[in-house]
């Protein structure tokens, strides 16, 4: 935890701070680090149970199928989408500590609810659905976190602070599944704590650990967090929802209107960025199993390693972005990131004359080897055997005429998307916070978070249907078209995506 509270101060502009009190300066950055930790825990809360949801759901309710699993996974994003504007509005008119403590308490309660979903005598799958929705609702505090960091940093500090926050979020996405993997050593049986009616096993322990982290987070928010607000020059100003004797009254620069076209454009770009990454996460496992004839175990292992590598790659990109954006500007970094993502998905398009292995062909060879023939009567025993068929399912008719994606294409695409996505992610809401200016940003950040949550909900649904029915050529072509449209949108509105203070002539770009 201390690692997150001691993130480097190199991005702080010391001569931008009112020289009245070094204590105020330290308090401001201490509070920002608490927000880093809050963002880290938000991503951990999402990923720490994600790999065990399906086996846990099968274990507690045999009536649940794969389609219901989709709703359980989407429930988190739907809850976050509903909560983000509400918590953002709350933080605009009251100290941000209030919505933060409330949201974290909801998150802790929801994780405890998840750990006890096996207790109801029936309809347990709906209890799991509600638990994940409430966990997502509690994660709506991401809007408050982004709003606070935007309001507590100057323009020069903001890109670095947002990059640090994104790095903490990426680290949470890496460590969440790692914690789940370690806790899986407890096994499915685990221990029974009769006094608490609790089954402590590999499915419930991650949720309980997330609840413990939430309690720690509440203590940090309550004991360490102090409300700070600075203008675009870094001068301390008095927030509308907080009074402190440490504040220094300076002339406010919040007069002027916000460019609503730039706001809408930023939300659309953020939606596209989160949408394509949700597509990438969703399609990686079925694509690799179909194209490379990997077993389920191999796909989980290899893709887990690949995603972990991409996570570490993203952290390096977040750190590099802080330096690059100071030299070439936020908009060029965003544009470059979108171009890299476009190249990543374009490379995934199937070409050539090499076709994927078909599952029924593998089954045919297996039948010949076992001497059982290829009659329907012979097919039945094999279908019930322990041999796992691999390759592209014959039920997906596109497998018969669509060229295979090569492993080199897949790895290259992963590397490119691992560079482009984090650059676009941090630049999109860094630009957004600068466009909004010194006015309270809670509601606007809520809408940005909601657009991202909507993208994470719709992306998996889109790609699962398109890929299953039409194949990778159509799926990735449509994604390339979407990214290209985002690049054109950014090009047309490039001059409008500038900081509030620059737009009103108070700071030179």
């Amino acid at each position: 935890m201390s690692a997150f509270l001691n993130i480097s101060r190199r991005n702080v502009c010391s001569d931008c701070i009112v020289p009245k009190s070094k204590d105020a300066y330290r308090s401001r950055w201490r509070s920002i680090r608490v927000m880093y930790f809050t963002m880290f825990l938000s991503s951990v809360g999402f990923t720490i149970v994600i790999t065990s949801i399906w086996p846990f759901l099968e274990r507690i309710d045999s009536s649940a199928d794969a389609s219901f699993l989709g709703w359980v996974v989407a429930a988190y994003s739907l809850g976050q989408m509903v909560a983000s504007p509400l918590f953002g509005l709350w933080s605009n008119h009251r100290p941000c500590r209030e919505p933060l403590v409330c949201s974290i308490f909801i998150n802790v309660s929801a994780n405890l609810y998840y750990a006890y979903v096996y207790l109801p005598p029936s309809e347990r799958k709906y209890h799991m659905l509600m638990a994940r929705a409430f966990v997502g609702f509690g994660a709506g505090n991401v809007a408050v976190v982004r709003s606070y960091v935007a309001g507590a940093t100057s323009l020069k500090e903001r890109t670095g602070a947002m990059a640090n926050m994104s790095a903490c979020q990426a680290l949470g996405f890496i460590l969440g599944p790692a914690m789940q993997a370690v806790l899986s050593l407890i096994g499915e049986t685990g221990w029974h704590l009769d006094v608490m009616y609790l089954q402590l096993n590999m499915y419930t322990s991650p949720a309980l650990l997330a609840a413990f982290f939430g309690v720690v987070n509440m203590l940090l928010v309550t004991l360490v967090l102090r409300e700070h607000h600075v203008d675009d020059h870094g001068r301390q100003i008095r927030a509308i929802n907080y009074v402190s004797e440490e504040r220094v009254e300076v002339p406010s620069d919040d007069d002027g209107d916000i460019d609503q076209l730039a706001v809408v454009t930023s939300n659309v770009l953020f939606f596209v960025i989160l949408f394509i990454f949700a597509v990438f996460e969703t399609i990686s496992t079925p694509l690799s199993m179909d194209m490379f004839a990997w077993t389920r175990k191999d796909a989980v292992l290899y893709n887990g390693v690949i995603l972990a590598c991409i996570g570490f790659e993203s952290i390096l990109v977040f750190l590099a972005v802080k330096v690059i954006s100071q030299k070439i500007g936020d908009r060029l970094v965003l544009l470059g990131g979108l171009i890299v993502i476009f190249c990543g998905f374009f490379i995934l398009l199937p070409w050539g004359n090499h076709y994927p292995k078909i599952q029924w062909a593998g089954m045919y060879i297996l039948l010949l080897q076992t001497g059982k023939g290829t009659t329907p009567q012979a097919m039945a025993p094999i279908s019930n055997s322990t041999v796992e068929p691999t390759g592209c399912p014959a039920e997906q008719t596109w497998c018969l005429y669509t060229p295979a994606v090569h492993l080199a294409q897949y790895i290259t695409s992963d590397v490119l998307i691992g560079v482009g996505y984090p650059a676009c992610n941090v630049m999109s809401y860094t630009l957004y916070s600068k466009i909004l200016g010194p006015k309270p940003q809670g509601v606007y950040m809520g809408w940005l978070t909601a657009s991202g949550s909507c993208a994470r909900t719709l992306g998996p649904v889109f790609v699962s249907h398109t890929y299953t029915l039409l194949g990778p050529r159509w799926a990735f072509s449509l994604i390339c078209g979407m990214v290209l449209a985002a690049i054109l949108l950014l090009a047309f509105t490039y001059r409008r995506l500038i900081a509030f203070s620059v737009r009103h002539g108070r700071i030179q770009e």
Side-chain angles (χ1 to χ4, degrees):
M1 180 179 66
S2 60
F4 299 96
L5 300 179
N6 290 294
I7 290 180
S8 173
R9 301 180 185 180
R10 286 178 294 178
N11 53 32
V12 179
C13 177
S14 58
D15 58 352
C16 296
I17 309 300
V18 175
K20 179 180 178 181
S21 173
K22 291 184 178 180
D23 290 339
Y25 163 78
R26 295 191 186 98
S27 175
R28 179 165 70 95
W29 280 94
R30 192 181 302 118
S31 299
I32 290 173
R33 293 184 189 106
V34 171
M35 293 302 188
Y36 292 163
F37 187 65
T38 303
M39 182 66 80
F40 166 76
L41 291 184
S42 176
S43 60
V44 167
F46 173 69
T47 59
I48 197 170
V49 300
I50 197 67
T51 58
S52 64
I53 285 180
W54 175 234
F56 190 29
L57 183 61
E58 284 187 312
R59 182 181 176 88
I60 64 172
D61 196 329
S62 59
S63 66
D65 55 15
S67 62
F68 192 82
L69 172 66
W71 285 107
V72 173
V73 174
Y76 179 95
S77 297
L78 290 172
Q80 189 179 51
M81 182 173 62
V82 172
S84 296
L86 300 178
F87 287 128
L89 179 63
W90 189 351
S91 69
N92 272 6
H93 300 283
R94 296 290 301 170
C96 69
R97 183 185 299 165
E98 294 180 6
L100 282 175
V101 171
C102 178
S103 61
I104 297 170
F105 177 79
I106 292 173
N107 194 279
V108 170
S109 302
N111 275 299
L112 293 176
Y113 181 19
Y114 181 90
Y116 282 97
V117 292
Y118 57 84
L119 284 180
S122 61
E123 305 296 347
R124 293 171 179 170
K125 62 181 182 181
Y126 294 109
H127 287 281
M128 179 180 284
L129 178 70
M130 292 176 61
R132 289 302 293 170
F134 280 118
V135 171
F137 192 92
N141 60 21
V142 169
V144 182
V145 172
R146 288 174 176 160
S147 175
Y148 179 87
V149 173
T153 53
S154 66
L155 282 181
K156 291 183 178 179
E157 298 168 340
R158 196 163 304 158
T159 299
M162 292 293 185
N164 286 340
M165 188 164 59
S166 295
C168 291
Q169 188 177 26
L171 189 59
F173 279 113
I174 295 171
L175 294 183
M179 294 176 188
Q180 167 72 86
V182 172
L183 293 173
S184 66
L185 298 176
I186 298 175
E188 290 189 329
T189 304
W191 301 281
H192 294 268
L193 304 179
D194 296 333
V195 176
M196 304 173 61
Y197 301 99
L198 176 64
Q199 295 179 10
L200 185 63
N201 54 38
M202 61 183 288
Y203 304 124
T204 61
S205 55
L208 295 173
L209 182 59
F212 171 76
F213 285 151
V215 173
V216 174
N217 197 12
M218 276 197 291
L219 291 175
L220 287 173
V221 169
T222 304
L223 301 177
V224 180
L225 180 66
R226 296 293 180 268
E227 195 93 359
H228 291 277
H229 189 60
V230 300
D231 63 10
D232 286 344
H233 300 278
R235 300 171 298 181
Q236 294 265 9
I237 60 177
R238 192 183 302 277
I240 63 169
N241 57 6
Y242 189 82
V243 177
S244 170
E245 63 275 8
E246 294 180 349
R247 296 310 168 104
V248 178
E249 285 285 5
V250 298
S252 176
D253 288 339
D254 62 357
D255 293 333
D257 60 312
I258 298 174
D259 189 339
Q260 296 299 327
L261 176 61
V263 168
V264 173
T265 299
S266 299
N267 275 276
V268 172
L269 291 175
F270 192 68
F271 175 89
V272 172
I273 293 165
L274 269 292
F275 184 93
I276 57 182
F277 190 73
V279 165
F280 171 74
E281 284 185 313
T282 304
I283 202 62
S284 58
T285 298
L287 177 68
S288 60
M289 292 177 67
D290 291 348
M291 296 295 110
F292 315 133
W294 288 350
T295 63
R296 288 189 296 268
K297 182 179 179 180
D298 289 341
V300 171
L301 174 61
Y302 299 151
N303 283 301
V305 172
I306 290 172
L307 287 176
C309 293
I310 290 175
F312 284 111
E313 180 188 13
S314 299
I315 294 176
L316 297 177
V317 172
F318 288 135
L319 298 177
V321 156
K322 294 194 292 184
V323 178
I324 297 173
S325 63
Q326 292 177 356
K327 296 182 178 180
I328 67 174
D330 298 339
R331 292 174 295 178
L332 280 177
V333 175
L334 177 58
L335 179 60
L338 286 172
I339 293 174
V340 171
I341 290 175
F342 175 84
C343 294
F345 277 99
F346 185 80
I347 286 174
L348 272 180
L349 291 174
W351 303 101
N353 298 319
H354 174 70
Y355 293 89
K357 171 188 173 184
I358 307 300
Q359 276 191 20
W360 57 260
M363 186 66 69
Y364 177 80
I365 295 173
L366 179 63
L367 290 170
L368 291 179
Q369 291 174 345
T370 56
K372 295 187 177 182
T374 57
T375 63
Q377 293 78 8
M379 289 288 288
I382 294 296
S383 63
N384 294 327
S385 71
T386 57
V387 177
E388 178 185 344
T390 58
C392 204
E395 295 79 11
Q396 297 175 167
T397 54
W398 55 264
C399 294
L400 304 176
Y401 56 82
T402 302
V405 175
H406 295 275
L407 182 59
Q409 288 178 265
Y410 184 66
I411 298 298
T412 304
S413 174
D414 290 341
V415 172
L416 290 175
I417 294 172
V419 172
Y421 169 72
C424 290
N425 181 274
V426 67
M427 284 299 103
S428 57
Y429 59 75
T430 299
L431 268 174
Y432 188 66
S433 67
K434 292 180 178 180
I435 290 168
L436 298 178
K439 296 183 179 181
Q441 299 185 4
V443 173
Y444 282 103
M445 284 295 180
W447 288 120
L448 186 73
T449 305
S451 68
S453 300
C454 182
R456 289 202 307 269
T457 303
L458 297 179
V461 176
F462 161 82
V463 73
S464 60
H465 283 78
T466 305
Y467 177 81
T468 301
L469 295 176
L470 302 175
R473 179 170 286 170
W474 272 97
F476 299 142
S477 294
L478 291 173
I479 293 298
C480 286
M482 181 178 292
V483 178
L484 183 60
I487 293 173
L488 294 176
L489 176 63
L490 176 58
F492 283 127
T493 59
Y494 190 84
R495 295 182 180 274
R496 303 287 290 269
L497 301 179
I498 57 176
F500 181 93
S501 298
V502 174
R503 179 170 176 259
H504 291 282
R506 294 165 188 158
I507 293 180
Q508 292 296 321
E509 187 172 13

